[in-house]
């Protein structure tokens, strides 16, 4: 049997504060021991008209595909190629796209082609992303939809909403596993939810927080429950990988779901693939649906983690190289409309009192930038080190200047 290894486009592993150290055992191919991906064929050379059987197995990871088509984690398939073919198995580990391939040579079918990866660039025909300005420009979209992160085409939070957030932040204290204040041994847990990009962004950010630990509240910890392949539609099922991993992180010895008081939700709504260059969903209906799903997730989060008080929301970055613009740019509307609905006191957005329905909401940093070329990505989707560095810089800058974050995140703002 023949197996051809195609190197992972990118593997970014950081261990920061507040998450259990991952297993140290690593297999010879560089993957953690709990992650496996393999594909084999019973025949690596065929005559025209003959067939071979592919067999593959994946353990761990998400989004398993064979030559771009979703498949089960383990399976077999008979193939009868008319010419030399490479069969590519891929899966998302949450921090990288891992690929393995086998090549079947068909005698008389011409020279074997070089193994190739699926194209990362499949933008919708005719769309020019330079026609979009950053959402923070505050201009009308389609002549009637206000941009800007907050009401009035502004990127600054309204004063009254900010004061409310500061008052809530002042109540955040380290909690023990029963949810009772414990300034000496308790924890202030911040939980991250999202997809693979969120996992990578916040792993980089946790590493930065570790480097700045001397400035931070020593009782603060960030737990990264973002999981590859889990965008908002998956998270909004209110079960599955993100919720399961969050439960594992918050129930490890010495931890409790009652200690979670801050949520970082970084998500997107477009689906995992768009190799066919399909057009985005209808606007504004698709963004109104996204707003409803965001509210659904936030409402459920305070049931699972009843002491969550504050949530930072961030939309995803530039997605032109997989054909998802202008859809991902538009996703900022869902975040904006939800935060505005809370500011305006609309039903379903109450954030104080016994009948509260979601946390107090605030934008995190806005990262969409159509000046990013393909060097900002490892595969057209996942951020390269330079993109991770920008995210870290923006989020650190945002929280450093945020009066709502100061009481619980920074040592100078705590009473310890």
């Amino acid at each position: 049997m023949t197996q051809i290894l195609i190197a992972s486009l990118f593997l970014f592993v950081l261990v920061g504060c507040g998450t259990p150290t991952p297993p140290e055992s690593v297999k010879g191919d560089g993957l953690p021991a709990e992650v496996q991906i393999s594909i084999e064929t019973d025949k690596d050379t065929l005559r025209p008209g003959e067939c071979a059987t592919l067999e593959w197995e994946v353990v761990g990871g998400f989004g398993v595909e064979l030559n771009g088509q979703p498949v089960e984690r383990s399976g077999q398939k008979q193939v009868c190629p008319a010419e030399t073919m490479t069969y590519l198995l891929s899966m998302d580990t949450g921090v990288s796209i891992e690929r393995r391939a086998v090549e079947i040579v068909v005698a008389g079918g011409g020279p074997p082609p070089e193994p190739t990866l699926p194209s990362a660039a499949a933008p919708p025909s005719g769309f020019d992303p330079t026609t979009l300005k950053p959402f923070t420009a505050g201009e009308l979209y389609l002549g009637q939809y206000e941009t800007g992160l907050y009401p009035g085409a502004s990127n600054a939070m309204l004063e009254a909403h900010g004061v409310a957030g500061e008052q809530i932040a002042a109540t955040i204290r380290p909690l023990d596993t029963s949810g009772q204040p414990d300034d000496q041994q308790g924890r202030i847990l911040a939980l991250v939810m999202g997809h693979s990009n969120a996992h990578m962004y916040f792993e980089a950010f946790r590493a930065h927080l570790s480097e700045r630990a001397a400035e931070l509240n020593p009782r603060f910890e960030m737990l990264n429950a973002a999981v590859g392949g889990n965008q908002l539609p998956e998270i909004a099922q209110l079960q599955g990988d993100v919720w399961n991993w969050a439960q594992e992180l918050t129930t490890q010895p010495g931890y409790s779901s009652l200690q979670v008081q801050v949520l970082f939700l970084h998500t997107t709504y477009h689906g995992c693939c768009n190799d066919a260059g399909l057009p985005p969903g209808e606007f504004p209906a698709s963004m109104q649906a996204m707003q409803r799903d965001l509210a659904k997730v936030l409402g459920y989060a305070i049931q699972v983690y009843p002491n969550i008080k504050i949530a930072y929301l961030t939309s995803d970055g530039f997605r032109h190289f997989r054909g998802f613009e202008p859809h991902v740019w538009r996703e900022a509307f869902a975040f904006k409309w939800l935060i505005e609905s809370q500011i305006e006191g609309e039903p379903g957005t109450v954030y104080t009192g016994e009948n509260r329905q979601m946390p107090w909401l605030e934008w995190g940093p806005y990262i969409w930038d159509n000046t990013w070329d393909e060097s900002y990505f490892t595969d057209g989707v996942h951020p390269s080190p330079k993109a991770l560095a920008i995210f870290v810089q923006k989020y650190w800058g945002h929280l450093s200047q945020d009066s709502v974050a100061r009481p619980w995140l920074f040592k100078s703002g705590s009473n310890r």
Side-chain angles (χ1 to χ4, degrees):
M1 295 187 180
T2 302
Q3 183 173 9
I4 301 173
L5 173 64
I6 296 182
S8 159
L9 289 177
F10 180 67
L11 180 59
F12 184 88
V13 179
L14 287 169
V15 179
C17 58
T19 293
T21 303
E24 295 181 357
S25 57
V26 177
K27 302 197 299 296
D29 58 7
L31 289 178
E34 69 273 16
V35 178
Q36 301 175 25
I37 176 171
S38 64
I39 182 171
E40 297 177 327
T41 176
D42 63 341
K43 300 176 184 178
D44 54 19
T45 302
L46 301 175
R47 294 183 179 183
E50 292 184 332
C51 299
T53 299
L54 299 176
E55 184 173 359
W56 65 89
E57 181 174 8
V58 171
V59 177
F62 312 90
V64 182
E65 295 184 351
L66 179 64
N67 281 12
Q69 298 300 313
V71 294
E72 297 295 326
R73 293 176 175 274
S74 298
Q76 292 183 340
K77 180 178 182 179
Q78 187 178 65
V79 294
C80 308
E83 58 184 14
T84 298
M85 286 285 293
T86 297
Y87 295 91
L88 183 67
L89 183 71
S90 65
M91 65 100 159
D92 187 343
T93 70
V95 295
S96 67
I97 302 298
E98 290 292 332
R99 294 180 170 91
R100 304 292 183 269
V102 292
E103 182 182 76
I104 299 178
V105 177
V106 178
E114 290 294 322
T116 57
L117 303 180
S119 172
S125 176
F127 179 71
D128 179 2
T130 65
T131 60
L132 294 172
K133 291 186 177 180
F135 201 81
T136 49
E139 298 187 359
L140 290 178
Y141 178 59
L142 302 180
Q144 58 179 313
Y145 298 99
E146 177 190 275
T147 64
L149 304 182
Y150 291 100
S154 173
N155 298 314
M157 188 187 306
L158 294 183
E159 182 178 0
H161 192 63
V163 169
E166 292 170 0
Q167 292 171 345
I168 292 171
T171 68
I172 294 179
R173 294 178 60 186
L175 303 176
D176 64 19
T177 56
S178 64
Q180 297 302 308
D182 182 351
D183 292 341
Q184 301 304 314
Q185 302 297 324
R187 290 185 170 91
I188 298 171
L189 296 184
L191 187 65
V192 177
M193 288 187 169
H195 56 310
S196 56
N197 281 24
H199 181 93
M200 297 173 72
Y201 282 135
F202 280 93
E203 282 299 285
F205 188 51
R206 286 199 310 116
H208 181 78
L209 293 179
S210 295
E211 295 172 358
R212 308 295 290 258
E215 303 171 48
L216 303 181
N217 186 333
R219 309 316 309 163
F220 169 80
E221 298 181 34
M222 179 182 287
L223 304 180
N224 190 347
V227 176
N230 283 251
Q231 299 183 3
L232 182 59
E234 288 73 35
I235 300 172
Q237 296 301 310
L238 309 184
Q239 60 182 344
D241 296 320
V242 168
W243 298 101
N244 294 342
W245 183 229
Q247 182 180 18
E248 288 193 36
L249 291 174
T250 57
T251 56
Q252 59 184 303
Y255 290 74
S256 166
S257 61
L258 298 175
Q259 295 172 312
V260 179
Q261 299 181 73
V262 179
L263 176 65
F264 293 97
L265 179 59
H266 180 98
T267 191
T268 188
Y269 203 59
H270 59 72
C272 68
C273 314
N274 192 25
D275 292 331
L278 300 176
E282 291 294 326
F283 182 85
S286 59
M287 296 303 97
Q288 291 166 339
M290 184 179 184
Q291 179 186 351
R292 290 192 294 270
D293 277 350
L294 286 170
K296 181 180 178 182
V297 167
L298 291 164
Y300 185 67
I302 64 168
Q303 297 179 39
V304 179
Y305 305 102
N307 289 323
I308 284 183
K309 298 180 179 181
I310 293 170
Y312 290 84
L313 309 183
T314 41
S315 55
D316 214 3
F318 191 46
R319 284 295 185 101
H320 175 63
F321 299 109
R322 288 306 299 269
F324 283 108
E325 297 298 351
H327 179 89
V328 173
W329 179 88
R330 292 171 175 170
E331 289 180 352
F333 280 107
F335 295 88
K336 173 186 174 69
W337 292 339
L338 180 60
I339 294 172
E340 285 186 353
S341 69
Q342 185 176 80
I343 291 173
E344 294 167 1
E346 293 184 8
T349 65
V350 176
Y351 56 86
T352 58
E354 294 182 357
N355 297 319
R356 71 192 189 105
Q357 297 156 303
M358 64 175 59
W360 179 89
L361 304 179
E362 175 182 347
W363 270 96
Y366 179 77
I367 65 169
W368 189 95
D369 187 341
N370 61 5
T371 67
W372 285 15
D373 60 28
E374 291 186 78
S375 69
Y376 287 81
F377 307 93
T378 61
D379 56 1
V381 176
H382 296 93
S384 70
K386 62 197 287 187
L388 293 171
I390 290 172
F391 180 88
V392 168
Q393 179 186 33
K394 287 193 172 186
Y395 229 117
W396 175 255
H398 181 85
L399 294 179
S400 297
Q401 300 298 317
D402 181 22
S403 61
V404 175
R406 191 171 301 121
W408 49 268
L409 178 59
F410 291 95
K411 185 178 294 183
S412 60
S414 68
N415 58 6
R416 283 150 296 283

